[in-house]
Amino acid sequence: MLHVSSHPLIGDCMARLRDKGTGPDEFRSLARKVISLLLYEATADLPVRRGTVMTPLGPAEAGWMEQEIVAVPVLRAGLGLLGPVLELLPKVSVGYIGLERDEDTAVARIYYNKLPPLAGKVPLLLDPMLATGGSGTRALDLIKEAGGEHCRFVCVVAAPEGVRMVEDRHPEVQIFTAALDTGLNEHAYIVPGLGDFGDRLFGTGG
Ligand code: PRP
Ligand code: URA
């Protein structure tokens, strides 16, 4: 299931993230803002334990989010999304998957895989660009192999091709994205997209 945010705050961040004149410092800050807002949407239906807390003036109804979540950033660009996840989620652990697309074929190669126990927890896959879908589906395969179920996939920009691949191979996964773009160019980059997320995040674009 695909959720494309229509929130104007996300739209404002996206306008500045996409702008080719935005440098790495501002890009990192905008990426943190977008992911915080997307996280708000991606966790809206998680269970809450109800109870009471004493304020200085008396009892107040309260709710605690006790669902354990395992955030899984896909190296390297997914690291740019991890900070707000660790700040906002009360019960979170982290697993890492390293995937790199071959520059010529755009096929993703795994170079790192370290996931904590996933049974009973909600896996939250963090990868900013869902382009061909090769990286996302590979990461979802690994999460499933490690016992993860009903993963939520948070990205910043998605292409229809990538969404279709995830929906075909992992139909139960919910995708939360800030934008659904037109398609891919001949190098499998998202159009209009925002360029190479990892390079813009880490200032490695030359
Ligand atoms: C980017 C991005 C995704 C992948 C998406 O990573 O962060 O992981 O491409 O493309 P796909 O849907 O066609 O697989 P990249 O391989 O450029 O590595 P990086 O994060 O190290 O920059
Ligand atoms: N990876 C990126 O960083 N950008 C794209 O447009 C596609 C894959």
Side-chain angles (χ1 to χ4, degrees):
M1 193 191 305
L2 177 67
H3 307 262
V4 184
S5 177
S6 56
H7 199 294
L9 282 174
I10 291 189
D12 181 81
C13 289
M14 287 306 294
R16 293 186 279 152
L17 262 182
R18 286 186 193 274
D19 189 331
K20 66 179 183 183
T22 298
D25 245 18
E26 194 188 355
F27 192 90
R28 283 191 285 272
S29 153
L30 289 163
R32 284 194 292 271
K33 287 180 186 159
V34 169
I35 202 66
S36 302
L37 294 162
L38 283 174
L39 203 56
Y40 181 82
E41 299 186 356
T43 55
D45 63 339
L46 288 179
V48 167
R49 179 175 63 80
R50 296 276 164 207
T52 307
V53 68
M54 288 303 285
T55 80
L57 301 182
E61 286 180 14
W64 289 264
M65 208 179 99
E66 296 196 330
Q67 175 64 58
E68 291 188 46
I69 292 174
V70 180
V72 184
V74 174
L75 307 176
R76 126 196 103 132
L79 284 180
L81 312 183
L82 183 60
V85 171
L86 296 179
E87 268 171 39
L88 288 168
L89 296 181
K91 290 200 169 178
V92 62
S93 50
V94 184
Y96 294 89
I97 293 175
L99 285 166
E100 186 177 34
R101 291 199 323 174
D102 181 286
E103 283 192 7
D104 297 320
T105 62
V107 174
R109 173 187 72 86
I110 300 173
Y111 61 88
Y112 193 69
N113 179 16
K114 196 167 179 73
L115 296 173
L118 295 172
K121 302 178 185 171
V122 172
L124 189 69
L125 178 62
L126 305 171
D127 192 349
M129 305 303 276
L130 174 56
T132 64
S135 305
T137 49
R138 200 65 199 93
L140 290 165
D141 291 341
L142 294 171
I143 287 171
K144 273 192 186 160
E145 283 164 23
E149 289 181 319
H150 300 291
C151 187
R152 293 161 195 233
F153 183 173
V154 181
C155 59
V156 176
V157 185
E161 293 87 335
V163 171
R164 266 196 302 277
M165 190 188 277
V166 171
E167 284 177 345
D168 283 352
R169 303 209 186 157
H170 300 280
E172 77 292 353
V173 168
Q174 296 195 62
I175 304 170
F176 295 86
T177 185
L180 178 66
D181 277 9
T182 312
L184 302 175
N185 70 10
E186 66 277 22
H187 305 293
Y189 272 77
I190 301 176
V191 181
L194 47 72
D196 190 305
F197 197 99
D199 280 348
R200 295 194 64 187
L201 185 75
F202 295 117
T204 51

